[in-house]
Amino acid sequence: MLTFPPSTRIYMAVERVDGRKGFDGLVAIVRSQFGHDPFAGHVYVFVTRRGDGLRVLFWDRSGYMLILKRLEKGTFQVPWDEREGPPRVVESAELLLILEGIDLRGATRRARWSPSSPVV
């Protein structure tokens, strides 16, 4: 199971990538298409063109880590329909559900508490 600190943002690419891309190819996408610094410690998730593979890339202070998962049957379902655009921010729980093969398109989130603006 993957666990990330709450301060870590998880960016999921909307566009699918070539399944043969490795560290350098994915880092190039993070820099050029996302405009992000891959050394910031955030997590980047990519789905392969066929949809049966998923790649998770992040920097862990001493090097890049690349986690791969390939489904033997079926495809990964992302909770949006677009095929182009900026990366989406997802929560770690959503990423784990996607990795388990759960389709989140029909899921709804309950209202959450958020702190009110500070009074000065």
Side-chain angles (χ1 to χ4, degrees):
M1 177 180 284
L2 297 173
T3 56
F4 300 107
S7 61
T8 302
R9 298 194 97 178
I10 301 172
Y11 294 97
M12 191 158 190
V14 174
E15 296 180 35
R16 296 187 175 205
V17 299
D18 185 351
R20 298 171 291 182
K21 285 198 183 297
F23 293 101
D24 297 329
L26 296 175
V27 168
I29 291 173
V30 169
R31 284 190 175 132
S32 64
Q33 292 181 10
F34 298 176
H36 294 181
D37 177 16
F39 297 114
H42 299 302
V43 176
Y44 298 93
V45 182
F46 303 89
V47 179
T48 61
R49 282 203 174 91
R50 291 191 312 193
D52 65 344
L54 193 122
R55 299 180 179 298
V56 179
L57 173 77
F58 60 95
W59 176 261
D60 76 345
R61 297 186 308 181
S62 61
Y64 286 111
M65 286 194 65
L66 183 61
I67 300 169
L68 312 173
K69 181 167 184 176
R70 183 186 74 195
L71 296 175
E72 294 301 318
K73 183 177 179 182
T75 58
F76 289 104
Q77 298 298 316
V78 293
W80 53 80
D81 294 326
E82 300 95 48
R83 295 286 184 191
E84 295 180 1
R88 298 286 184 109
V89 176
V90 297
E91 294 185 12
S92 59
E94 292 172 311
L95 175 58
L96 292 175
L97 292 172
I98 291 169
L99 284 169
E100 284 297 319
I102 297 173
D103 189 353
L104 299 177
R105 283 182 271 183
T108 58
R109 183 181 301 277
R110 292 179 182 236
R112 292 182 164 188
W113 177 85
S114 62
S116 58
S117 59
V119 178
V120 183

